[in-house]
Amino acid sequence: MTPPTFFTVRYVINPWMDTAIPVDTATAVAQWAVLRDTYRRLGHAVDEIAPVPGLPDMVYAANAALIVDDTAVIARFRHHQRAGESWAYTRWLRAHGYTTVSTVHVQEGQGDLMLVGSMVLAGIGFRTAPQAPAEIAKLVGLPVVGLELTDPRFYHLDTALAVLDDTTIAYYPAAFTAEARATLTELFPDAIVVAGSDAHVLGLNAVSDGRHVIHPAAATGFADQLHRAGFVPIGLDLSELLKGGGAAKCCTLEVYP
């Protein structure tokens, strides 16, 4: 995780961002700290990566890479404003023993690449190129299933789909093409289907450890669904960080052993 020390909205690269709406960076830091401390309270280790001046979106650490075992597939960002984040995270990952690899095609790390059991789901269409899944499959040695996104408000897969455990996902169907929905239905017939009211507060931008699911507090319907499915929902106020288009998952680069 990277603290939002320099977080602000000074450009627009997704529909959640509005330079006319002020950002309270101190509030963003406080909300982020609650998220970090929640992970630690649940027994998870959290490494902090120092933020870099001039990279206001670096708080969204999930976009930096896909990490599988000792390999980190470094993001190739679509927008030039975020390109510097790749170098910052590459340096940290190499210093901590990871082998870093790059891609030819545009892809944005765990924002669009989500490990479910022994496969990777890949969101394509806005930030990740359609050719990227095949390239990433060769790099990590796992099947990668491409899912086309259609709504620009759900520009990354992690805004429209949450991985809850090795066999369970939750998703918002309207964010996907008919073909992608059919694929998800086939792969995950027991998935939790989330309503638009929860998806549009980025409720699916959540992190699960297989039991506890940390999500934006405003997604109350999703919380009820999680509870009925046997998970423990933990809603947090991440409203300031939503101004950049991210919440719990965006702020968390998960390490898959």
Side-chain angles (χ1 to χ4, degrees), residues 206-219:
V207 175
S208 173
D209 62 10
R211 175 169 169 75
H212 308 92
V213 182
I214 300 156
H215 63 89

Side-chain angles (χ1 to χ4, degrees), residues 48-89:
E48 294 186 33
I49 301 174
V52 176
L55 297 177
D57 283 341
M58 194 173 165
V59 62
Y60 302 125
N63 305 152
L66 169 67
I67 299 174
V68 179
D69 297 323
D70 295 328
T71 299
V73 183
I74 302 298
R76 182 176 292 276
F77 286 100
R78 181 169 296 279
H79 296 286
H80 69 87
Q81 292 94 334
R82 300 198 64 182
E85 296 176 43
S86 294
W87 294 109
Y89 281 105

Side-chain angles (χ1 to χ4, degrees), residues 77-153:
F77 286 100
R78 181 169 296 279
H79 296 286
H80 69 87
Q81 292 94 334
R82 300 198 64 182
E85 296 176 43
S86 294
W87 294 109
Y89 281 105
T90 295
R91 287 192 296 269
W92 190 93
L93 289 162
R94 286 176 178 171
H96 287 75
Y98 291 95
T99 299
T100 60
V101 295
S102 301
T103 60
V104 173
H105 300 291
V106 170
Q107 51 80 22
E108 297 200 348
Q110 287 177 15
D112 271 332
L113 304 168
M114 306 184 75
L115 187 68
V116 190
S118 59
M119 78 173 79
V120 177
L121 301 180
I124 58 175
F126 292 108
R127 298 293 188 86
T128 292
Q131 302 90 341
E135 183 181 10
I136 291 162
K138 294 178 181 178
L139 292 173
V140 299
L142 295 173
V144 180
V145 178
L147 302 165
E148 186 174 0
L149 298 163
T150 60
D151 185 333
R153 286 183 68 82

